[in-house]
């Protein structure tokens, strides 16, 4: 059985940067992140040992310093932090910042802002904050039919980790219903590459294993792509979840990981599969 690994594995640039910022902030004592810094339990536990704790609201933060994670936050959080006299260490990924800035720009230019993404995701909640929560969030082609885009100037941004095929289909549907559209393709380079890698691997492998947090949006997208193109696909968080029977009659297995999955875990998964007899 041949085991192939995705070209890009390990933390993406944004996750690596947010961890570095948190580690620097924690040098002089305990600090708090607003929400978990990344979707990986082992890394979160390790960070906790280094004094980087999780808070769910600014009131819960016991330290002077607070860390904004890579997903970003709405302006109201920065204002609240000021009221509580917190010192912000901003881990917002520059690619997320770009979505926020472009949405704001469109809003100020008078466009009806459409955010293609998942409404409940923290990145989208943050972006909405930059346009006074007045944007339309669209997740699927079906959602497009709920709105009347006719005679409106439509400005589009997309969640950094969104799936390319769904994004393009949604844009096409909106095009059919409107006259003027301005689009910023704000999917991040890491997402583009990982999704492309995963699609190619899934097409050539009998089984796909996607490693990453069950709450991680970008990992879930990789799993969906794997299910679409491969005969069998599994989403695991830890190497211990691997089951021997998944690989019965398989000639090739592809392994890919989310952008907050440490490289070592993906490599460990590959090694375990290679040793299955
Ligand atoms: Fe940033 Fe993309 Fe990673 S938006 S946090 S580089 S998945």
């Amino acid at each position: 059985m041949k085991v192939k690994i995705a070209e890009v594995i390990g933390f993406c640039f944004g996750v690596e940067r947010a961890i570095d910022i948190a580690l620097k902030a924690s040098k002089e004592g305990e600090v708090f992140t607003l929400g978990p810094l990344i979707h990986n339990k082992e890394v979160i536990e390790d960070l906790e040992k280094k004094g980087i704790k999780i808070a769910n609201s600014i009131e819960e933060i016991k330290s002077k310093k607070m860390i904004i994670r890579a997903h970003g936050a709405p302006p109201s959080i920065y204002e609240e932090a000021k009221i509580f006299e917190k010192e912000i260490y901003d881990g917002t990924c520059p690619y997320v910042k770009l979505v926020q800035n472009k949405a704001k720009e469109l809003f100020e230019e008078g466009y009806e802002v459409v955010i293609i993404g998942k409404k409940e995701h923290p990145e989208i909640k943050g972006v909405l904050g930059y346009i006074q929560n007045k944007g339309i969030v669209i997740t699927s082609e079906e959602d497009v039919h709920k709105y009347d885009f006719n005679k409106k100037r439509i400005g589009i941004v997309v969640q950094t980790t969104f799936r390319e095929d769904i994004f393009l289909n949604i844009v096409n549907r909106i095009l059919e219903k409107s006259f003027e559209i301005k689009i910023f393709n704000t999917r991040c380079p890491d997402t583009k590459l990982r999704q492309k890698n995963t699609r190619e691997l899934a097409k050539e492998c009998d089984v796909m294993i996607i490693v990453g947090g069950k709450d991680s949006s970008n990992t879930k997208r990789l799993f969906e792509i794997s299910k679409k193109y491969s005969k069998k696909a599994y989403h695991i968080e830890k190497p211990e979840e691997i089951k021997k029977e998944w690989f019965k009659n398989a000639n090739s297995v592809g392994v890919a990981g989310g952008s907050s999955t440490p490289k070592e875990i993906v490599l460990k998964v590959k090694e375990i599969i290679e040793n299955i007899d």
Side-chain angles (χ1 to χ4, degrees), residues 12-15 70 93 95-96 123 160-161 188 190-191 218 259:
C12 66
F13 151 80
V15 165
C93 175
Y95 294 112
V96 172
E123 176 184 328
T160 50
T161 53
C188 86
D190 184 273
T191 291
N218 76 84
S259 53

Side-chain angles (χ1 to χ4, degrees), residues 92-109:
T92 307
C93 175
Y95 294 112
V96 172
K97 197 83 223 150
L98 188 70
V99 191
Q100 296 170 348
N101 291 343
K102 290 299 174 194
K104 191 166 179 265
E105 191 181 305
L106 289 166
F107 184 69
E108 286 168 356
E109 285 173 8

